[in-house]
Amino acid sequence: MTDSTTLTVERHVPADLPDRILHYIGGESVPSLDGDTFGVLDPVSNEVYVEAAAGKKADIERAVEAARTAFTEGPWPRMLPRERSRILHRIADVVESRDARLAELESFDTGLPITQALGQARRAAENFRFFADLIVAQADDTYKVPGRQINYVNRKPIGVAGLITPWNTPFMLESWKLGPALATGNTVVLKPAEFTPLSASLWPEIFEEAGLPAGVFNLVNGMGEDAGDALVKHPDVPLISFTGESSTGQLIFGNAAPYLKGLSMELGGKSPAVVFADADIEAAVDATIFGVFSLNGERCTAGSRILVQRDVYDEFVERYATQAKRVRVGLPHDPATEVGALVHPEHFEKVMSYVELGKSEGRLVAGGGRPAGHETGNFVEPTVFADVAPDARIFQEEIFGPVVAITPFDTDEEALALANNTKYGLAAYIWTNDLKRAHNFSQSVEAGMVWLNSNNVRDLRTPFGGVKASGLGHEGGYRSIDFYTDQQSVHITLGKVHNPTFGREATDH
Ligand code: NAD
């Protein structure tokens, strides 16, 4: 029996896959106007399993027109927050009721382990619930100038929001933008990542079942440089919320500049996990293993640089490497799998090139190639390099796979300098039992988000986003509401206010 035959037997292909993936515009599923399609691969066989509509400028124009009409003429922006909230809760209910199917499709399309894909499906439902609750609790400011004025904020949806998302946790990241954009009364055009369009094709049915009016949600599949670019350059799309690579973010920033669009950008990362000698080493090993190998290492907030104080360095590296070798690489649908298959052969090649590079830049202590028994498909062993110098490319560049660099340090100052020594600034994880050090370090580290003695456990109310090359603006909780709304000031005169008369008629004296 050949390897590929073995794989075909073991590989799980979900039942009832769609026979094609279409756009969804103005409440209807439609092909591209020019009929163009692109092939979508599954990361275990790397074979095309479906053709998806390849959107171009004309398809984006059609979608924006539908969204614009729903915004100017439809009920959605004018509904009471409670009415919109009810629909958002229903969306969450429907997502929850289909979490197993969603996870199955997501895991098949992305290669994420099924248990982790299930967690992402539930988080997607929670994103809708969270913004459904927030929008009814929303209060806006009023300012009194005694006897003269009362001034209030009239918060309004902005219009058609363009949402552009990556492939690493597609459905969850789409919900992260759809929740607040819709809760605040905007209409949207979503452009999902071309590697992973499958789970997004479930949104139309979910929204229809929950009672979202037609035209409020529109979906255009396609390449970033075609469909994504046309969305960024469409004059009737005043907002772009983008998650993806920093270099794509820079390009979009430039392309949106002539239109002075509102931009929110969640970009790449190379986040440090800093382990001091006084830390709970066992907990730190568990968390830093999970932090870089969960979601196949395709995680923006991955702690992909581990900085360890020299006193515990050798012990840490040994424990870490031993445990990393036990992390289970396997078929994505197997509930025992901890690391599945990387999303796409192009990405696999990129990650493998860093694995090879790492062999000359660091000391390989675990992994280093394809796992035995997985001769095809995008499988990579959890790979650990120790003694990595701070100017190494594997220390500086985002690999976005199950690959980690470990580097020793002696003093707090050195740890901080190493932590801040990349262009990125998304997350940081600090492990220490010293209270003063923990807070001083957290406040000095150049990262949008810091976790102390903890993994990446989110509180949805807190700001989410990065500094430096990791992002522009923060979303999360009320920051998302602010991004998707205009806060218009209305000033009301109650008494005597400043009102000089220019051009006063001359009077005789
Ligand atoms: P990517 O930048 O290649 O693509 C992201 C999206 O942008 C895709 O939908 C793509 O089609 C589109 N796109 C590409 N070129 C475009 C253009 N010229 N105009 C408009 N749209 C365009 O990113 P990716 O490879 O899909 O995702 C991985 C990256 O995303 C990593 O760098 C990761 O760190 C980052 N990420 C960041 C966060 C965060 O919250 N900070 C979360 C998840 C992923």
Side-chain angles (χ1 to χ4, degrees):
M1 201 185 268
T2 65
D3 285 323
S4 64
T5 329
T6 314
L7 212 54
T8 320
V9 173
E10 287 183 348
R11 187 166 75 100
H12 171 75
V13 179
D16 304 322
L17 282 175
D19 52 8
R20 56 191 182 148
I21 293 179
L22 297 170
H23 310 308
Y24 182 72
I25 299 177
E28 282 177 38
S29 294
V30 290
S32 284
L33 285 165
D34 66 2
D36 197 11
T37 63
F38 64 95
V40 185
L41 310 179
D42 83 80
V44 172
S45 73
N46 281 329
E47 281 166 15
V48 172
Y49 73 88
V50 74
E51 288 289 322
K56 309 278 168 50
K57 189 164 180 255
D59 304 292
I60 287 288
E61 278 170 359
R62 215 169 145 195
V64 173
E65 199 184 321
R68 184 80 208 145
T69 306
F71 187 76
T72 51
E73 295 167 23
W76 189 248
R78 283 159 278 280
M79 278 162 80
L80 289 175
R82 171 57 77 199
E83 291 173 323
R84 281 204 299 268
S85 170
R86 275 203 190 100
I87 293 179
L88 294 178
H89 274 299
R90 281 207 290 272
I91 293 169
D93 291 341
V94 181
V95 169
E96 267 164 11
S97 71
R98 297 193 189 164
D99 59 358
R101 173 70 175 167
L102 256 163
E104 184 191 24
L105 295 183
E106 194 78 305
S107 170
F108 173 72
D109 198 27
T110 61
L112 288 176
I114 185 77
T115 51
Q116 297 169 36
L118 189 63
Q120 296 297 319
R122 292 180 182 154
R123 182 49 207 289
E126 186 54 29
N127 282 338
F128 277 95
R129 254 187 231 303
F130 176 80
F131 286 105
D133 289 343
L134 210 59
I135 202 71
V136 287
Q138 167 79 38
D140 285 310
D141 295 327
T142 309
Y143 306 89
K144 187 169 83 170
V145 185
R148 296 188 190 172
Q149 271 183 321
I150 189 139
N151 306 318
Y152 68 90
V153 172
N154 172 37
R155 193 183 282 270
K156 303 192 276 193
I158 293 177
V160 180
L163 314 178
I164 303 178
T165 50
W167 47 257
N168 60 324
T169 48
F171 193 80
M172 195 287 283
L173 282 171
E174 289 151 18
S175 75
W176 171 246
K177 297 184 190 301
L178 288 165
L182 296 176
T184 44
N186 297 283
T187 60
V188 305
V189 177
L190 169 68
K191 207 303 278 173
E194 56 268 40
F195 282 177
T196 54
L198 181 60
S199 55
S201 70
L202 296 180
W203 286 121
E205 207 180 294
I206 293 169
F207 288 145
E208 280 172 18
E209 208 172 311
L212 191 76
V216 173
F217 167 77
N218 302 277
L219 165 73
V220 177
N221 287 293
M223 301 300 130
E225 54 273 28
D226 298 329
D229 186 64
L231 192 55
V232 168
K233 293 178 180 165
H234 197 297
D236 282 340
V237 178
L239 289 181
I240 297 288
S241 177
F242 169 77
T243 300
E245 283 186 18
S246 299
S247 56
T248 316
Q250 284 173 307
L251 186 64
I252 290 179
F253 192 89
N255 289 341
Y259 306 93
L260 296 172
K261 298 196 179 203
L263 292 176
S264 167
M265 300 220 166
E266 308 285 7
L267 308 175
K270 189 78 184 179
S271 300
V274 186
V275 182
F276 286 94
D278 68 345
D280 176 342
I281 301 294
E282 197 176 324
V285 169
D286 277 344
T288 49
I289 292 260
F290 181 82
V292 74
F293 299 130
S294 56
L295 304 179
N296 297 344
E298 298 162 327
R299 179 179 202 136
C300 56
T301 49
S304 50
R305 291 181 297 142
I306 308 181
L307 312 176
V308 184
Q309 201 156 24
R310 202 169 308 267
D311 321 36
V312 292
Y313 183 75
D314 290 340
E315 179 200 341
F316 184 93
V317 170
E318 203 199 312
R319 283 170 78 158
Y320 195 91
T322 307
Q323 193 160 325
K325 287 178 195 158
R326 292 199 300 260
V327 171
R328 284 194 60 156
V329 182
L331 289 167
H333 76 279
D334 181 349
T337 293
E338 292 170 328
V339 172
L342 300 191
V343 68
H344 193 275
E346 269 173 34
H347 185 59
F348 172 80
E349 290 305 330
K350 176 186 150 183
V351 172
M352 279 304 216
S353 74
Y354 278 106
V355 169
E356 287 314 309
L357 177 67
K359 292 175 184 170
S360 60
E361 288 191 329
R363 176 165 59 96
L364 180 69
V365 293
R370 206 179 244 294
H374 293 284
E375 311 318 327
T376 57
N378 308 323
F379 295 94
V380 178
E381 282 180 305
T383 297
V384 185
F385 293 105
D387 311 345
V388 177
D391 60 352
R393 283 183 56 205
I394 61 163
F395 186 96
Q396 293 291 337
E397 297 173 18
E398 184 182 45
I399 300 173
F400 220 55
V403 183
V404 68
I406 311 185
T407 303
F409 70 86
D410 289 297
T411 63
D412 289 39
E413 293 70 31
E414 197 192 341
L416 185 63
L418 283 172
N420 290 342
N421 177 17
T422 69
K423 66 174 182 173
Y424 296 108
L426 192 55
Y429 307 87
I430 322 289
W431 290 86
T432 176
N433 280 316
D434 180 326
L435 198 60
K436 268 196 206 160
R437 165 190 277 158
H439 288 285
N440 287 325
F441 200 101
S442 302
Q443 292 180 21
S444 312
V445 73
E446 292 165 359
M449 296 165 286
V450 181
W451 277 270
L452 280 174
N453 297 322
S454 162
N455 235 313
N456 175 340
V457 179
R458 284 266 297 134
D459 172 341
L460 292 184
R461 295 166 301 177
T462 57
F464 183 97
V467 296
K468 295 159 69 181
S470 289
L472 183 74
H474 283 18
E475 292 203 40
Y478 285 111
R479 269 73 40 184
S480 299
I481 302 281
D482 284 347
F483 176 69
Y484 290 106
T485 53
D486 263 337
Q487 296 184 56
Q488 179 190 50
S489 295
V490 181
H491 304 272
I492 305 151
T493 301
L494 295 178
K496 203 167 164 45
V497 292
H498 182 59
N499 189 21
T501 307
F502 273 21
R504 190 184 292 279
E505 276 186 53
T507 48
D508 295 333
H509 291 288

